[in-house]
Amino acid sequence: MGIKGRVVTFLMVLIINSLYMSFYFYRDGYVSWFEIIGLPIMLTFAWWFGKQYDIAIYFSEKDILTTLYNRRFVEKYITALKDQNFALLLLDVNDFKVINDVYGHKAGDQYLMAIAAQLKKSVKEKDILARWGGDEFLIITPGTKKKENLAEMIDKIHQNLRDVSPVEVEIRVSIGAALYPSEGKTFDDLLKLADKNMYSMKALKHG
């Protein structure tokens, strides 16, 4: 979580209060104890209000359950990638409904959190990892030009997911990918193609 809100409000109050006290010192030749004691109190409140702003910004861009990025962040971030190649991967959890039906929604939440933790270990620092909704996750890998370049990461995802499971059901996902700009010029086009490829992969596994 960033500290921009805290820093900005802290500095604003400090500057305004310093100008205020300078004015009265210039006019009266002194600054009262009330004004001196009031400064740290005001700075404390400024830091607190700034923290609330930082928390609000953090949760406006993060999924509360998994702490991954959410749709809102992805849709904002994607506009900054128009001039470079990237790959979009859509992941769907296989048989997630079974987890919820057999073990309950609490176990389903644990299942999703375990998947999120393993996905974090599977991607590079520059990659964007998000919970797209429900049991779907999305990965954006800037600089990727060929699907062959995704093979190592996809293998790593499957291997990491095989290593853990909060319930007695093996975690499996189906993954579909699409490349910008060679396979789609818009974000919606890439999503549709990745979704199509993902369900083709899911059908092969169930075939």
Side-chain angles (χ1 to χ4, degrees):
M1 181 170 60
I3 62 170
K4 182 179 179 181
R6 279 164 281 184
V7 172
V8 170
T9 53
F10 185 90
L11 290 177
M12 284 180 61
V13 170
L14 181 62
I15 292 169
I16 292 171
N17 197 271
S18 297
L19 292 172
Y20 170 82
M21 288 196 296
S22 297
F23 170 77
Y24 277 93
F25 181 80
Y26 176 78
R27 192 188 71 173
D28 303 330
Y30 70 95
V31 178
S32 70
W33 281 107
F34 176 78
E35 291 162 339
I36 294 174
I37 294 173
L39 177 59
I41 296 174
M42 291 176 65
L43 290 175
T44 300
F45 274 107
W47 189 262
W48 183 86
F49 280 114
K51 184 178 181 181
Q52 305 317 303
Y53 172 83
D54 290 330
I55 291 172
I57 291 296
Y58 177 84
F59 283 110
S60 73
E61 298 180 342
K62 295 281 188 173
D63 173 64
I64 295 176
L65 178 66
T66 62
T67 71
L68 302 181
Y69 287 115
N70 59 20
R71 278 185 181 235
R72 179 176 178 176
F73 176 84
V74 171
E75 290 170 351
K76 181 175 67 174
Y77 172 83
I78 206 74
T79 60
L81 292 178
K82 289 184 177 180
D83 296 327
Q84 60 177 296
N85 296 284
F86 65 88
L88 183 151
L89 290 85
L90 197 59
L91 295 76
D92 181 79
V93 181
N94 297 341
D95 302 319
F96 184 66
K97 188 177 184 300
V98 175
I99 301 297
N100 280 331
D101 291 345
V102 175
Y103 297 97
H105 289 280
K106 186 175 181 180
D109 287 346
Q110 293 176 338
Y111 200 78
L112 292 174
M113 287 188 288
I115 291 171
Q118 296 303 79
L119 290 177
K120 288 178 183 178
K121 297 178 182 179
S122 307
V123 301
K124 297 178 181 177
E125 187 175 349
K126 66 176 182 178
D127 296 338
I128 297 299
L129 174 60
R131 183 183 179 195
W132 195 239
D135 61 338
E136 287 189 339
F137 297 85
L138 183 143
I139 301 171
I140 297 173
T141 63
T144 302
K145 297 181 180 180
K146 299 179 180 180
K147 287 185 179 177
E148 290 82 359
N149 298 335
L150 300 171
E152 182 179 349
M153 182 180 70
I154 291 174
D155 287 343
K156 191 173 183 180
I157 289 172
H158 288 305
Q159 182 56 53
N160 285 340
L161 291 179
R162 278 194 290 268
D163 290 341
V164 297
S165 180
V167 294
E168 296 177 0
V169 177
E170 186 176 357
I171 298 175
R172 294 181 181 273
V173 296
S174 296
I175 304 174
L179 300 174
Y180 176 87
S182 60
E183 294 185 324
K185 301 295 185 182
T186 69
F187 185 49
D188 286 341
D189 289 342
L190 292 171
L191 272 175
K192 289 176 183 176
L193 180 58
D195 187 69
K196 179 181 177 182
N197 292 337
M198 179 185 71
Y199 277 98
S200 294
M201 185 66 65
K202 189 183 287 283
L204 285 174
K205 290 181 179 178
H206 285 83

